[in-house]
Amino acid sequence: MDFVWESTVFAIVAFLILYWLLNKYAFGPLFSIMEQRRKLIQEQMSTAETSRKAAETSMEEQKAALEQARKEAYAIIEQARTTSTKQADEIVQSAKNEANRLKDDALKDIVSEKNKAIAALRSEVGGISVKIASKIIEKQVDEKAQEELVDQYLKEVGSK
Amino acid sequence: MHEFPIVELGGFNIDISTWGAIIISAIITFLLAVLSVRKLSVENPSRMQNFLEWVVEFVHNTIASTMPLEKVKRYISLGMTLIMFIFISNLLGLPFGIVFDVHEEIGWLGVTAEKLAEHGGHMHVALWKSPTADLAVTAGLAITVIFLVHFLGLKENTKHYIKHYIEPFPIFLPLNIIKEISKPVTLALRLYANIFAGEVLISTILMLGVYGVPFLAAWQGFSIFVGAIQAFLFTILTMVYISQSTIHHDEDAVH
């Protein structure tokens, strides 16, 4: 086995040519493709991250909107409840007032009727007593007593 | 043992089997790579593209284990070429051999009358072998790599590259020079010896005839393994040497 230096030179030349050819026709394109893929993946990852964040935000927004709607509904119910309570109170109050008024009116009516009745009775009693008195007087009054009575009436009239 | 045909052409000795093996290995390597990148696709890589990308990843990791990550990129092509070419070269001699039994003078194969006489009238001429089973070829690879190592060291790390010859003391200069010389020598010899020994053993087993078949099968399987290991070793050692000569670890800060 001899050492043939020409083979060494040829090996060096062949290796350098192979290196150049591979670099130009195989590895260069391959590396650029791998680089492209790396970029693509990075891009997709960042896109995924953004969309995840967007989804999170919209989720948050929806939650907030839901909460808001719930609060509003609650407020509306609450308001309706207070309104109805107030209205019921008002109705009860007005009914009470009306009843009081009616009662008062009735009382007043009663009082005035009573007064009227008393007055009527008094005048009736007066008339009757006068009639009774005059009947009694027709029989028992003498001259002298009649005079005294007349005087007394005159006096009364005079003092009025 | 077989003789390899050496042709004299214009004052140069041309080893036809070695030259042929180098050319065939290079062509296979190139075709494999080019076929792999024929239909490049970002999203839907073909099987071959996946394979080559796996090789790229593997070489990338190998180089990254020897030097900082940001320097790896520029050496991937070199590592890929080395590992693919050497691996294919290592396997080239395994599957079969072409051997002629020559009794007469054949000028174009370099079988001259004197050589015939030397071998007693007839000789075996082998035309097929691994290029890496030839010391001249592995020496060529090692020289290329070592030239690159020293060139890069001088160019990118001038001060520390020169200084490392006299470290830790100037008296270590001869030792450092021996170390630098031993690098290419071991690179070349290790690869050559492993592959050459494998082929010698194959031709030895072949002499057993039919009984050698199981041994041959086992040894060829092992040779594939050895070929892969040697290709990997050559590549990673290249990267280690490049890393040693170009990268200056900031030792002053440590001390």
Side-chain angles (χ1 to χ4, degrees):
Chain A
M1 181 88 213
D2 315 312
F3 186 92
V4 189
W5 65 267
E6 288 89 343
S7 296
T8 306
V9 175
F10 183 69
I12 294 172
V13 173
F15 181 77
L16 292 179
I17 291 173
L18 180 69
Y19 175 72
W20 179 73
L21 281 176
L22 282 180
N23 224 359
K24 188 166 182 193
Y25 292 106
F27 298 155
L30 184 71
F31 293 164
S32 74
I33 284 288
M34 288 175 82
E35 182 65 22
Q36 271 179 43
R37 180 179 307 134
R38 201 181 61 78
K39 274 188 189 143
L40 183 80
I41 288 170
Q42 220 162 32
E43 205 179 278
Q44 280 174 347
M45 274 169 76
S46 66
T47 315
E49 180 66 18
T50 355
S51 55
R52 193 182 66 81
K53 269 186 189 149
E56 234 166 49
T57 342
S58 77
M59 185 78 185
E60 211 57 40
E61 270 169 18
Q62 279 176 12
K63 233 184 232 171
L66 200 67
E67 196 59 33
Q68 182 72 22
R70 194 171 285 157
K71 257 185 207 159
E72 266 170 26
Y74 192 74
I76 287 169
I77 290 171
E78 200 59 28
Q79 204 180 356
R81 191 174 288 154
T82 46
T83 316
S84 67
T85 317
K86 211 192 275 173
Q87 243 164 11
D89 280 354
E90 266 170 21
I91 288 168
V92 168
Q93 195 61 42
S94 69
K96 219 178 257 174
N97 288 348
E98 185 72 16
N100 277 344
R101 200 178 56 77
L102 282 176
K103 204 172 79 181
D104 285 355
D105 281 1
L107 278 177
K108 265 183 211 156
D109 277 357
I110 288 167
V111 167
S112 71
E113 286 300 317
K114 193 181 84 181
N115 287 347
K116 262 185 210 163
I118 288 171
L121 203 64
R122 192 175 282 162
S123 64
E124 195 90 358
V125 168
I128 291 168
S129 54
V130 167
K131 271 178 192 159
I132 295 168
S134 60
K135 281 212 178 131
I136 296 167
I137 287 167
E138 273 175 10
K139 286 171 188 171
Q140 296 180 353
V141 174
D142 50 8
E143 280 301 297
K144 196 186 163 188
Q146 209 164 355
E147 243 172 62
E148 269 176 17
L149 262 176
V150 170
D151 280 348
Q152 192 189 336
Y153 284 133
L154 283 174
K155 234 186 244 172
E156 271 178 24
V157 171
S159 70
K160 268 185 190 172
Chain B
M1 226 45 267
H2 309 302
E3 282 298 311
F4 293 107
I6 294 174
V7 179
E8 279 200 38
L9 200 74
F12 296 114
N13 295 313
I14 293 169
D15 188 335
I16 292 175
S17 62
T18 304
W19 284 50
I22 291 173
I23 291 169
I24 291 168
S25 293
I27 287 174
I28 292 176
T29 312
F30 183 67
L31 282 183
L32 187 71
V34 167
L35 285 180
S36 302
V37 299
R38 202 176 36 172
K39 286 182 198 155
L40 280 177
S41 155
V42 174
E43 282 162 354
N44 185 22
S46 62
R47 215 180 282 175
M48 290 291 278
Q49 190 189 337
N50 268 331
F51 165 72
L52 204 63
E53 284 184 12
W54 172 76
V55 178
V56 172
E57 291 289 321
F58 177 75
V59 172
H60 185 276
N61 291 340
T62 305
I63 302 174
S65 64
T66 65
M67 59 178 82
L69 209 57
E70 69 271 9
K71 301 215 174 194
V72 170
K73 216 163 192 182
R74 46 194 297 219
Y75 301 121
I76 289 183
S77 284
L78 177 66
M80 293 277 291
T81 313
L82 274 175
I83 204 166
M84 285 173 73
F85 178 67
I86 294 175
F87 182 62
I88 288 167
S89 297
N90 291 349
L91 297 191
L92 199 68
L94 288 184
F96 57 87
I98 301 174
V99 180
F100 292 100
D101 208 0
V102 182
H103 297 280
E104 294 128 35
E105 213 177 304
I106 308 173
W108 65 270
L109 277 181
V111 182
T112 52
E114 304 99 67
K115 277 197 174 174
L116 267 178
E118 253 175 58
H119 288 82
H122 74 97
M123 58 193 271
H124 298 293
V125 176
L127 273 183
W128 190 269
K129 64 171 181 177
S130 288
T132 41
D134 190 332
L135 183 57
V137 176
T138 57
L141 291 174
I143 287 169
T144 313
V145 162
I146 284 309
F147 173 77
L148 187 68
V149 166
H150 290 282
F151 175 75
L152 286 174
L154 268 175
K155 193 178 142 218
E156 293 179 7
N157 198 17
T158 319
K159 195 179 139 213
H160 293 94
Y161 172 77
I162 294 170
K163 211 175 125 200
H164 99 274
Y165 281 102
I166 52 166
E167 271 177 349
F169 306 108
I171 200 153
F172 279 74
L173 179 65
L175 279 179
N176 278 319
I177 290 175
I178 290 172
K179 190 184 87 184
E180 292 305 325
I181 292 171
S182 77
K183 280 178 181 175
V185 171
T186 52
L187 264 185
L189 281 178
R190 180 186 304 111
L191 180 57
Y192 155 72
N194 271 283
I195 306 308
F196 183 65
E199 298 205 345
V200 167
L201 198 58
I202 282 178
S203 48
T204 312
I205 291 171
L206 280 176
M207 289 175 193
L208 281 174
V210 182
Y211 306 108
V213 169
F215 300 108
L216 190 63
W219 181 248
Q220 284 199 327
F222 188 66
S223 288
I224 294 173
F225 174 68
V226 169
I229 287 287
Q230 289 306 319
F232 172 73
L233 258 181
F234 199 97
T235 311
I236 197 169
L237 280 175
T238 301
M239 294 310 159
V240 167
Y241 294 157
I242 289 177
S243 165
Q244 276 179 352
S245 72
T246 57
I247 289 159
H248 164 235
H249 300 289
D250 208 355
E251 287 173 32
D252 301 331
V254 177
H255 288 303

